[in-house]
Amino acid sequence: MAVAGSAGPARPDSPHHDEDIAVIGVTGRYPGAEDLDAFWDMLAEGRTGITEIPADRWDWRAYFDTEKGKPQRAYSRWGGFLDGIDRFDPAFFGILPRDAADIDPQERLFLETAWNLLDRAGQLGETTRERSTGVFVGTMYGSYGQLAATGWAGGQLAGAHSAYWSIANRVSYTLDLNGPSFAVDSACSSSLLAVHLACESIRRGECRTAIAGGVNLILHPAHHVSLCSMNMLSADGHCKVFDARADGFVPGEGVGAVLLKPLRRAVEDGDDIWGVIKSGLSNAGGKTGGYTVPNPGAQAALIAEAVRRAGVAPATIGYVEAHGTGTELGDPIELAGLSRALGTAAGDNGVRCAVGSVKANVGHLEGAAGIAGLTKVLLQLRHGRIAPVAGLGTVNPKIGLDPARFTLPTELSPWPSAGSAPKRAGVSSFGAGGANVHLVVEEFRGARPPAPVRPGEQLFVLSARTRDQLVRYAGLVAEFLDGPGAGATLDAVCFTSQVGRREFPERLAVRADDCAGLAAKLASVASGSIPAGALVGTAGPGGPAGGADDGEDVAALWVRGAAVDWEARRPGPRPRRVALPAYPFERSRHWLSVDATPAPPGSGPRRCSRRGTRRSAVPGSGPRRGGVPRTGARRGADPYRLPQARVGGRSRGRARRGAQVAPGDDRRGRTRRRVPARPGRHRHPLHRDPAGRHPFRPARRGRPHRRPPHLRTALRRSAA
């Protein structure tokens, strides 16, 4: 899929423009990193989150062979995996538990991610929520629905499914958002294309803010087997980006999203600005030497035009997050196009450009690869440092970069200065078949009024759906204030808690004079005691009579369910919102019961368990959990014998005379639907002789078939 970017002339190089889009929120989960703090630590230290395929996914040994090219086998046993993909909190999102297992786990993950994104950005309060928000999600696999389809032969025609559109629409529905809502599939560039389309939608006025990102999960051994059949995967579990040992990528999972808003409005609203998207563009590679062979000319043209439309000097770009999959030919082709697009550094503002790829850390996240790369760039802008290319040893000799213009970092280093220009970066994502996307991103520089600070005692409020979640939530906020949030002001923390978050029935209000005191009181609540200055209560359906301005303590009224206009109680300049910890979901396992893991090649038919169920090899399951009624014959069974059925409350070994089994009827545990026999037709097409004169009698267990009358007569005559 190729979507043209916004047309128009290049803009002059200046700090910011009206069409610039601010990133005001970032969140994600990646292999080996449950949150962005852990993700940055991994990037900065040059570590990887790649492991062997976990046992709770499938037994890789059953499909593994070190020899490449072996049919129906995988020579790779590695990947980047997320934990707990089978767990979800359906009650929090108003979903029935029986329906949760039917929802694709990619859909559930992105729903949680979208909630956390808005929650941490302080955009879920009654006055801060923006309903004109679009949802754009990139994805490229629907494996969960394919797993469910293995139950079709057993009569399970409805239930679990995968629908790309539902990933986006579920978010829009649950959060009551009215902007555009759709999924994007352009192979490996899906999530970065989703971000680009979201920016264009905001510029066209279709929505005021947008959630954009991607999600990718690996649920079946066929994923590895099919990629190994095309020799795409690394054999040793390392994604050796730009390295002379490069031999393929390692597949990975991930989910991430950004919250986008016009820069001008983000500045006015005092949002936390992670970075500024100056421009974006996509194109297609056209005809090449092979369907998966990239076109360096198309990639170079894409990057050069995106930089031109951003209105920035190419020499001021100090970092490029490359697609960089770690293949012997793909990496040199991409860097040749990049070198052609950015040229040489020149002038006083020229800077040596570092080139990296997050795939060296977490593997190739396929549909979520672009959002992982963009997140890495935003983290580097925030910390002002460039992460190393994990595991890079000897550079691929086919890579011919000008060392005066480009560098491949091997250690954590400061972002190079480009004179008076802000820190700038490019992000590339290229999909199989030639679907290319590139964004130009820079740090935010602008005059922002100093955040006001109101001294004295402040009121912090917190709510959750259940009392247990409220207690856990209090502990998370206490840890945050003692750790990453130690530099936040009490005024900003309390204001964010009042206006930026959804209100739930179980409530806690705490008065404190400073952040240290607030953290101590929240820690006491988490340990089971209620300190002085704290109130805990449950909001009633209608709240207490009267309002919050009737002279009674506002904290006591709020914990009982009174509506409080927090912004009206805060005249004048307001502090910026703080990214408080995400909501503590109460997750439990929800997964389909079909065992779709195929038998290893050459292993013969799979046996049925004693209870007529297949073993379920899905995340988090035990060896014999789940299952569906078995269809097909047992090993050695008579293929012409009808399955056991219950008719009229009694077990029957054969079909009732004059009755047919209706298509789709469950043949175990249900009374058959009577279908009147038609003249000249027998009860089952398999139980007829070649001439169609008499049906065979289905054999009972341990007894041979009884020959039909015309065969018995013929045998007697021949014997005579």
Side-chain angles (χ1 to χ4, degrees):
M1 176 180 180
V3 180
S6 56
R11 299 175 295 181
D13 195 344
S14 61
H16 301 296
H17 303 274
D18 289 340
E19 292 189 356
D20 291 346
I21 304 297
V23 180
I24 62 171
V26 189
T27 192
R29 289 175 57 190
Y30 299 102
E34 281 295 304
D35 54 37
L36 295 190
D37 290 335
F39 191 38
W40 172 248
D41 290 342
M42 174 191 294
L43 295 173
E45 296 168 11
R47 293 184 286 106
T48 76
I50 295 170
T51 64
E52 282 189 345
I53 298 169
D56 64 354
R57 296 303 179 90
W58 65 83
D59 182 4
W60 58 264
R61 296 170 182 81
Y63 312 93
F64 180 75
D65 198 302
T66 56
E67 181 183 346
K68 290 188 177 183
K70 209 72 173 293
Q72 308 304 322
R73 295 283 183 168
Y75 58 81
S76 172
R77 63 180 190 267
W78 310 92
F81 295 92
L82 300 181
D83 294 329
I85 65 168
D86 59 328
R87 306 182 71 79
F88 181 59
D89 187 352
F92 180 86
F93 294 104
I95 298 172
L96 294 175
R98 68 170 180 265
D99 295 334
D102 291 342
I103 301 175
D104 191 314
Q106 294 183 135
E107 185 174 325
R108 304 186 317 217
L109 274 174
F110 196 74
L111 178 59
E112 289 182 349
T113 299
W115 177 277
N116 287 338
L117 178 69
L118 296 180
D119 196 25
R120 300 208 68 198
Q123 304 285 327
L124 281 177
E126 287 299 318
T127 59
T128 59
R129 183 170 69 96
E130 176 57 72
R131 295 187 65 189
S132 179
T133 297
V135 181
F136 303 79
V137 57
T139 191
M140 62 181 287
Y141 290 114
S143 302
Y144 196 67
Q146 292 175 323
L147 297 181
T150 61
W152 291 0
Q156 288 187 264
L157 304 182
H161 63 281
S162 295
Y164 296 168
W165 53 264
S166 192
I167 301 177
N169 291 0
R170 177 79 64 177
V171 172
S172 298
Y173 167 79
T174 303
L175 301 181
D176 191 21
L177 306 177
N178 301 139
S181 180
F182 59 90
V184 180
D185 180 8
S186 60
C188 308
S189 60
S190 297
S191 56
L192 199 66
L193 182 57
V195 175
H196 169 55
L197 295 178
C199 292
E200 293 297 297
S201 182
I202 292 174
R203 291 178 180 125
R204 288 193 300 267
E206 295 175 345
C207 54
R208 290 170 60 83
T209 62
I211 298 168
V215 60
N216 188 66
L217 292 178
I218 303 170
L219 305 180
H220 196 275
H223 193 104
H224 277 62
V225 172
S226 62
L227 292 173
C228 284
S229 71
M230 296 180 282
N231 290 320
M232 288 187 171
L233 299 190
S234 168
D236 61 2
H238 296 283
C239 198
K240 299 176 280 290
V241 178
F242 310 142
D243 200 283
R245 301 167 296 141
D247 62 346
F249 65 85
V250 179
E253 302 178 333
V255 58
V258 292
L259 183 59
L260 307 173
K261 190 176 189 178
L263 177 61
R264 176 181 50 81
R265 288 185 46 235
V267 173
E268 293 173 354
D269 295 341
D271 293 311
D272 182 17
I273 300 175
W274 285 71
V276 179
I277 298 178
K278 302 288 290 182
S279 73
L281 194 66
S282 66
N283 72 3
K287 186 76 171 180
T288 63
Y291 184 62
T292 60
V293 176
N295 184 339
Q299 293 177 2
L302 172 81
I303 297 171
E305 180 62 14
V307 172
R308 188 189 72 84
R309 295 187 183 195
V312 304
T316 63
I317 293 178
Y319 179 79
V320 170
E321 175 66 17
H323 186 61
T325 55
T327 57
E328 183 181 5
L329 295 178
D331 290 352
I333 289 175
E334 178 182 1
L335 295 193
L338 178 65
S339 179
R340 188 187 311 175
L342 297 186
T344 59
D348 295 336
N349 289 336
V351 64
R352 195 178 184 205
C353 180
V355 183
S357 174
V358 72
K359 295 175 181 64
N361 301 94
V362 296
H364 188 359
L365 306 192
E366 300 167 311
I371 190 62
L374 176 59
T375 300
K376 176 185 174 183
V377 167
L378 294 170
L379 286 169
Q380 290 183 150
L381 286 173
R382 174 139 297 198
H383 292 274
R385 300 173 75 80
I386 291 178
V389 178
L392 178 59
T394 303
V395 175
N396 188 333
K398 297 183 176 67
I399 294 176
L401 291 177
D402 178 4
R405 177 67 178 100
F406 297 98
T407 179
L408 302 176
T410 56
E411 60 183 6
L412 187 66
S413 56
W415 194 296
S417 173
S420 60
K423 299 180 181 68
R424 288 177 177 146
V427 186
S428 293
S429 193
F430 304 141
N436 307 319
V437 184
H438 188 81
L439 300 183
V440 178
V441 185
E442 72 178 23
E443 68 174 332
F444 171 71
R445 281 188 182 180
R448 302 182 68 174
V453 177
R454 187 167 66 175
E457 188 180 70
Q458 305 285 331
L459 178 63
F460 176 85
V461 296
L462 196 66
S463 66
R465 194 179 61 84
T466 68
R467 184 60 60 90
D468 288 343
Q469 288 175 323
L470 181 64
V471 170
R472 287 169 50 206
Y473 210 172
L476 292 174
V477 177
E479 293 175 3
F480 169 77
L481 294 176
D482 285 335
T489 66
L490 178 66
D491 194 24
V493 169
C494 292
F495 182 71
T496 302
S497 74
Q498 295 165 1
V499 304
R501 317 206 112 185
R502 185 72 58 88
E503 294 182 343
F504 294 99
E506 297 298 330
R507 300 185 176 186
L508 167 68
V510 180
R511 294 190 179 276
D513 295 317
D514 53 40
C515 282
L518 175 60
K521 292 183 179 181
L522 291 173
S524 296
V525 173
S527 64
S529 61
I530 307 299
L535 293 173
V536 177
T538 302
D549 297 318
D550 293 343
E552 191 175 348
D553 180 30
V554 65
L557 287 167
W558 183 79
V559 297
R560 288 158 49 199
V564 178
D565 188 348
W566 297 107
E567 292 198 347
R569 299 175 64 86
R570 181 69 186 246
R574 292 164 184 150
R576 300 188 185 100
R577 290 183 286 275
V578 177
L580 296 174
Y583 188 92
F585 296 117
E586 198 169 86
R587 297 182 176 96
S588 56
R589 186 174 184 272
H590 300 275
W591 202 262
L592 54 81
S593 58
V594 173
D595 174 16
T597 305
S603 63
R606 178 172 296 178
R607 288 186 178 274
C608 180
S609 70
R610 293 181 60 187
R611 298 176 60 186
T613 59
R614 298 176 180 176
R615 292 190 299 170
S616 179
V618 294
S621 68
R624 294 184 180 271
R625 292 178 60 180
V628 292
R630 186 179 187 272
T631 59
R634 292 175 288 108
R635 183 180 298 180
D638 177 9
Y640 290 99
R641 183 175 181 274
L642 283 175
Q644 195 83 356
R646 298 190 65 85
V647 182
R650 294 178 297 151
S651 296
R652 296 290 180 89
R654 60 177 183 265
R656 179 178 293 180
R657 187 183 301 275
Q660 291 179 331
V661 178
D665 278 5
D666 188 350
R667 296 183 178 182
R668 292 185 187 272
R670 296 184 185 177
T671 301
R672 298 187 186 189
R673 180 163 59 92
R674 293 296 299 254
V675 181
R678 288 178 287 172
R681 296 295 296 260
H682 298 288
R683 57 184 174 271
H684 196 283
L686 294 178
H687 296 81
R688 288 182 291 187
D689 73 342
R693 289 174 293 188
H694 288 280
F696 289 98
R697 292 182 181 274
R700 294 184 180 178
R701 183 170 298 180
R703 294 177 56 184
H705 283 295
R706 183 180 179 185
R707 297 187 181 96
H710 70 285
L711 291 181
R712 294 200 302 271
T713 302
L715 289 172
R716 284 197 301 267
R717 288 176 179 175
S718 64

